[in-house]
Amino acid sequence: SRYHGFRGLKLPWRDFLLALLKDQPHSVVVKKPARKQGTPGNPFVAQKFFEYTEQVQPSAIGRRLMIVRESVASEMQEDMRLIAQENERILEDYKLNSLRSSNTTNEKSRSSVSDILCDHDPAFNSNTPFRGGTFDLLSSMSTYFAVRICAAESPSQREKEWLESFISDKGDRFMNDAVPRYYTGRKFLKLLMESPPILFTQSSNLRRDPEAFSTSSFVAVE
């Protein structure tokens, strides 16, 4: 299956690129089946193979990766502007779903801005393939760091502990990319907003409102 995550490399990215740039050319022997003589599918005719040698230039691969890396970074810089639009769409969906629950209507929620502008394998003109998948990873990582920032800057220790517990319980998919998953950040925010308010009755009598926390996370994402 196609990989979709942040931890595909087994070493830091800088070390990976430097290793490619410093590596010497490699000779690779390619073995391919030759065309069978006689009747096709005849089990009594042994399959023959032919071989040839190709030169692999790791330094050239590294230079190409750096060029693609610049293109992806440029696209990500443009697509970061979509995060604010995605925030608005998530809030609209939340309000619409709340009304639907109270009015028992069958109105469908609106699609995400990433569905409309940046599908996983976009057909529109872009410099690199899989731009939509890159945007999805960008959105998820922005959400992850936003939640961490909100927890670190929380004015209440009880609130911080609650959010840390929620991240531990519901946020495992941010870093566990063994199985390709899409819309991780959006689904996490949806769970956070749909969580019921929690009342802390000891000392500060603080009321924890997950929806308000989600709104502050949106600001941190932007």
Side-chain angles (χ1 to χ4, degrees), residues 26-130:
H26 294 267
S27 296
V28 178
V29 177
V30 181
K31 184 177 180 180
K32 288 189 174 182
R35 184 177 178 180
K36 278 188 175 183
Q37 301 295 324
T39 305
N42 188 339
F44 299 100
V45 178
Q47 177 68 64
K48 295 183 179 181
F49 297 86
F50 68 95
E51 297 181 352
Y52 61 94
T53 302
E54 283 192 358
Q55 285 287 327
V56 177
Q57 302 284 346
S59 60
I61 296 174
R63 288 192 293 270
R64 291 203 303 271
L65 282 176
M66 295 174 71
I67 294 173
V68 175
R69 184 168 172 260
E70 291 181 13
S71 298
V72 172
S74 178
E75 292 176 351
M76 291 175 69
Q77 188 175 12
E78 296 177 5
D79 294 342
M80 279 293 288
R81 302 186 182 98
L82 298 177
I83 298 295
Q85 298 180 41
E86 187 174 59
N87 284 349
E88 294 177 1
R89 190 61 57 84
I90 292 173
L91 286 171
E92 290 177 9
D93 285 350
Y94 172 74
K95 294 175 182 178
L96 181 60
N97 289 333
S98 298
L99 290 174
R100 183 173 58 186
S101 298
S102 59
N103 298 331
T104 63
T105 62
N106 293 322
E107 188 175 5
K108 294 183 178 180
S109 60
R110 299 172 63 185
S111 299
S112 165
V113 65
S114 59
D115 295 336
I116 298 173
L117 301 179
C118 252
D119 200 359
H120 295 322
D121 300 302
F124 63 85
N125 294 327
S126 62
N127 295 330
T128 62
F130 314 122

Side-chain angles (χ1 to χ4, degrees), residues 6-22:
F6 301 101
R7 300 187 297 175
L9 296 178
K10 296 182 179 180
L11 68 164
W13 66 266
R14 189 186 298 274
D15 295 343
F16 177 78
L17 279 177
L18 288 177
L20 282 176
L21 294 173
K22 294 178 180 179

